[in-house]
Amino acid sequence: VQDVKNGKLDAVVIDSATGKALAEKNGLKIVEDPQAFETEEYAIAVKKGNTELLDKINGALKELKEDGTIDSIMDNYIGEDAGKTPYESPEDVDRSNGTLVMATNAEFEPYEYHEGDDIVGIDADIAQAICDKLGYELKIEDMEFDSILPAVQSGKADFGAAGMTVTEDRATQVDFSDSYYTGVQVIIVTDDSDITGPDDLKGKKIGVQQGTTGDIYSTDDFGDDNVERFNKGMEAVQA
């Protein structure tokens, strides 16, 4: 985003909810092309073969969807009612089952981001709600996006949640829970940009957050030479 503002990049490709938040804060615009990219399913990653934890998470997600908790969490961060429905843990939760460690990259507002000393956002709240259902404490570990799957694979973290799209390649490395959100990528540009859709990105300098779906799409469609990778979405938008 910083490099787009400074004219060093022509566009940023990133998740729609995150893109809208970044664009609004930086006086940029979203390219309005709902058919630009395919929709994608977001899910929670667990270590390959850890069916016990996966089944528990899926069971909790099912209950949270049915009782409206997931929708309420989403509404608290996205849309006109943002900030009106904060998630609060029940007072009588038994956390005797121990602690679950969540790996994330807290640079992806509104899914996960820093608010003072805390990591907050959609994924943080959903993870807390899951732990409340299952009787665990939640510990969130912040790391680079590319480090999340290795952390889950190695056992450093019990699960990963970071607005993460289910892809065939990632599914060979970890097991994914049921989806909890359907997203899409968007293109962020300056107000005076002549980019109106993906076809206009050919030959342009595209900023992405490294390892994300925006990185995968842009590299596949426009070539590695046209893609500049950043550790944080905000750094790309500023670019």
Side-chain angles (χ1 to χ4, degrees):
V1 175
Q2 288 177 337
D3 279 358
V4 165
K5 291 180 70 175
N6 295 333
K8 296 179 181 178
L9 291 174
D10 297 296
V12 172
V13 176
I14 201 165
D15 164 87
S16 59
T18 302
K20 289 175 183 176
L22 289 172
E24 289 174 1
K25 288 183 177 182
N26 289 277
L28 301 172
K29 71 176 182 180
I30 300 292
V31 173
E32 298 296 339
D33 184 355
Q35 305 302 319
F37 299 96
E38 295 180 4
T39 57
E40 51 199 43
E41 301 297 324
Y42 295 167
I44 294 169
V46 302
K47 187 175 182 179
K48 211 64 167 153
N50 191 350
T51 55
E52 181 180 0
L53 180 58
L54 186 64
D55 289 344
K56 287 180 179 180
I57 289 175
N58 280 335
L61 279 173
K62 184 174 185 293
E63 292 181 22
L64 294 168
K65 289 176 182 177
E66 290 175 348
D67 67 18
T69 300
I70 298 290
D71 286 340
S72 178
I73 289 173
M74 294 292 181
D75 290 343
N76 190 55
Y77 291 95
I78 301 173
E80 296 179 356
D81 293 328
K84 297 181 180 179
T85 57
Y87 176 76
E88 295 183 3
S89 297
E91 294 182 359
D92 58 349
V93 175
D94 176 6
R95 304 193 187 280
S96 58
N97 287 329
T99 300
L100 288 180
V101 178
M102 165 183 157
T104 195
N105 174 239
E107 303 291 346
F108 207 55
E109 187 178 351
Y111 295 98
E112 42 273 316
Y113 58 100
H114 291 276
E115 193 171 84
D117 294 331
D118 298 323
I119 294 175
V120 300
I122 291 170
D123 287 330
D125 284 357
I126 290 176
Q128 184 62 66
I130 289 172
C131 286
D132 292 345
K133 286 280 187 184
L134 300 179
Y136 288 93
E137 294 281 357
L138 173 65
K139 181 180 180 182
I140 301 178
E141 295 283 355
D142 186 21
M143 59 190 69
E144 300 296 339
F145 188 86
D146 277 352
S147 299
I148 295 173
L149 294 190
V152 172
Q153 289 174 305
S154 68
K156 179 181 178 182
D158 295 294
F159 66 93
M164 187 174 293
T165 305
V166 179
T167 67
E168 291 184 7
D169 179 61
R170 289 172 182 163
T172 66
Q173 305 172 61
V174 294
D175 287 333
F176 280 105
S177 71
D178 295 334
S179 172
Y180 61 85
Y181 185 70
T182 300
V184 68
Q185 300 290 301
V186 295
I187 303 167
I188 302 176
V189 296
T190 55
D191 278 334
D192 58 356
S193 173
D194 58 0
I195 294 171
T196 60
D199 289 344
D200 296 330
L201 293 177
K202 295 176 182 177
K204 300 292 188 180
K205 204 68 176 175
I206 306 165
V208 297
Q209 185 173 1
Q210 183 166 318
T212 62
T213 314
D215 185 356
I216 296 169
Y217 281 159
S218 299
T219 303
D220 287 349
D221 290 350
F222 307 110
D224 194 67
D225 289 345
N226 293 318
V227 176
E228 188 167 342
R229 297 172 182 84
F230 298 83
N231 288 327
K232 304 176 182 180
M234 175 59 79
E235 291 176 354
V237 177
Q238 293 291 350

